[in-house]
Amino acid sequence: MKSIYSLVNDIYAVVASKEAAEGVDLDKEIEHFGENVKKLMHTLFSEDRAGDRRTLRMSNIGRKDRYLWNVVNNAKVTEKMQPHTLVKFMYGHLIEELLLFLTRLAGHEVTDEQKKCKVGGISGSMDCKIDGIVTDVKSVSTFGFKKFKDGSMAYDDPFGYVAQIKGYAHSEGETKFGWLAMDKQNGHLTYLMYDQEDTQAPVYEKLSFDIEERIEEIKEVVKQPEPPEVCYEPVPDGKSGNMKLSSGCSYCQYKKVCYPDLRAFLYSTGPRFLTVVENEPKVQEISLEQID
């Protein structure tokens, strides 16, 4: 059995040589990949988007308390995704299927795909295990990729990836987990693995929380009549005297719930959300409904 530590190099070798690893049936794996893509497309084009969204799931338990309070208590608040955003998400799903295909071609073992997991009544589905390690597969931007490459992801985890995968690992009685990540802009790959039993690791303090206690804490938070403090405080917009949303809030669907007087301005780098406007920006103001 191959080791997870050689995964990336083994994938690169397969792509470079265009030859599957010894003992791997290329035609069989191509068929498997095709069937998985077919299932994915059926799911993406037939899933019910009108269901009850007031749900705590393994995929969101790592988010900030205010966000989760809104998930349960402001379920009707949504931001309609623009078609290009939906295409981006489809593209991400396809990349993830491609990476698992290449993992198999490289002779590594992929098991437990979409296995159902439950911790403290919270359910979810893990991506898979690769060589026995609970693994999430991610397609990320070049900026996001750096955190997986240098191992710093646990220090800057706005989407709660650590708690999510820790929940999957806990349900399996495992202490190790990791991410197979691809920089979708240039094709670079990396595998980041954390071990909760490695007390000498620099990230140990970020991993050592009790996932069952976190889940119970969340359940109490979302029952409260009033929301907890905002996830991220607004930050100065340069020297203008204006205040803007931090990046952690800019992409959140609940930003107008938290900031009813929020205004958006279209800069060359993209929309900027201002919570306080002392000096009117000299760029076009746009409605929040225009932004995906």
Side-chain angles (χ1 to χ4, degrees):
M1 180 177 175
K2 290 199 173 184
S3 165
I4 194 75
Y5 297 103
S6 68
L7 175 60
V8 171
N9 286 337
D10 290 342
I11 290 175
Y12 284 157
V14 163
V15 173
S17 68
K18 295 184 173 61
E19 293 182 1
E22 184 178 354
V24 175
D25 186 329
L26 176 60
D27 289 334
K28 179 181 177 181
E29 292 304 334
I30 289 174
E31 287 295 325
H32 188 177
F33 173 62
E35 286 300 316
N36 282 355
V37 171
K38 185 192 298 184
K39 290 177 184 176
L40 172 63
M41 290 299 108
H42 277 299
T43 299
L44 292 176
F45 282 95
S46 63
E47 63 185 1
D48 178 16
R49 297 178 181 274
D52 190 351
R53 296 184 178 89
R54 296 172 299 171
T55 307
L56 295 175
R57 305 179 303 278
M58 207 77 81
S59 59
N60 65 20
I61 57 172
R63 302 293 293 263
K64 297 286 188 179
D65 288 359
R66 174 80 166 233
Y67 177 90
L68 295 173
W69 188 93
N70 278 315
V71 165
V72 172
N73 294 282
N74 282 311
K76 293 182 179 180
V77 175
T78 60
E79 287 188 340
K80 185 177 179 180
M81 289 188 184
Q82 298 296 321
H84 67 269
T85 303
L86 294 172
V87 169
K88 180 176 68 174
F89 284 125
M90 287 182 184
Y91 173 55
H93 289 307
L94 285 169
I95 288 176
E96 290 160 15
E97 286 296 342
L98 173 64
L99 290 178
L100 290 180
F101 167 66
L102 293 175
T103 295
R104 292 190 184 91
L105 281 193
H108 290 260
E109 184 181 45
V110 178
T111 59
D112 298 289
E113 288 184 78
Q114 299 305 310
K115 182 177 180 180
K116 301 298 182 185
C117 303
K118 183 176 284 190
V119 179
I122 303 299
S123 300
S125 300
M126 71 167 71
D127 276 357
C128 64
K129 291 181 184 176
I130 297 178
D131 299 330
I133 304 296
V134 175
T135 299
D136 257 2
V137 184
K138 298 293 184 188
S139 62
V140 295
S141 67
T142 299
F143 177 79
F145 183 79
K146 292 177 182 177
K147 295 187 290 186
F148 290 97
K149 183 71 174 177
D150 65 18
S152 65
M153 205 275 296
Y155 297 106
D156 183 14
D157 183 23
F159 298 108
Y161 291 155
V162 169
Q164 176 187 2
I165 197 170
K166 182 167 176 165
Y168 299 145
H170 183 78
S171 72
E172 294 290 293
E174 303 287 350
T175 62
K176 294 180 181 179
F177 48 78
W179 297 263
L180 173 58
M182 172 177 159
D183 180 339
K184 58 189 174 184
Q185 292 168 261
N186 58 38
H188 291 167
L189 304 178
T190 193
Y191 192 93
L192 171 61
M193 184 167 68
Y194 287 149
D195 182 353
Q196 298 175 84
E197 291 188 334
D198 184 359
T199 58
Q200 301 304 308
V203 297
Y204 176 73
E205 288 188 5
K206 293 292 184 180
L207 306 179
S208 59
F209 64 93
D210 187 303
I211 190 64
E212 291 191 14
E213 289 182 4
R214 170 60 181 158
I215 287 174
E216 293 307 313
E217 178 184 286
I218 293 167
K219 289 178 182 178
E220 290 303 313
V221 166
V222 300
K223 290 178 184 177
Q224 302 308 308
E226 297 296 327
E229 62 185 21
V230 294
C231 302
Y232 304 97
E233 293 291 339
V235 296
D237 184 24
K239 298 180 180 180
S240 65
N242 300 333
M243 299 293 290
K244 66 180 180 179
L245 291 185
S246 69
S247 59
C249 292
S250 293
Y251 297 101
C252 178
Q253 68 195 67
Y254 303 111
K255 53 183 171 283
K256 195 167 183 181
V257 175
C258 295
Y259 299 96
D261 298 323
L262 190 66
R263 297 172 67 184
F265 295 86
L266 187 59
Y267 286 78
S268 60
T269 54
R272 192 173 302 174
F273 303 98
L274 301 185
T275 59
V276 174
V277 179
E278 295 290 345
N279 289 291
E280 196 80 12
K282 294 181 173 61
V283 296
Q284 178 187 359
E285 182 169 7
I286 54 178
S287 69
L288 295 178
E289 286 70 27
Q290 291 177 258
I291 306 165
D292 59 291

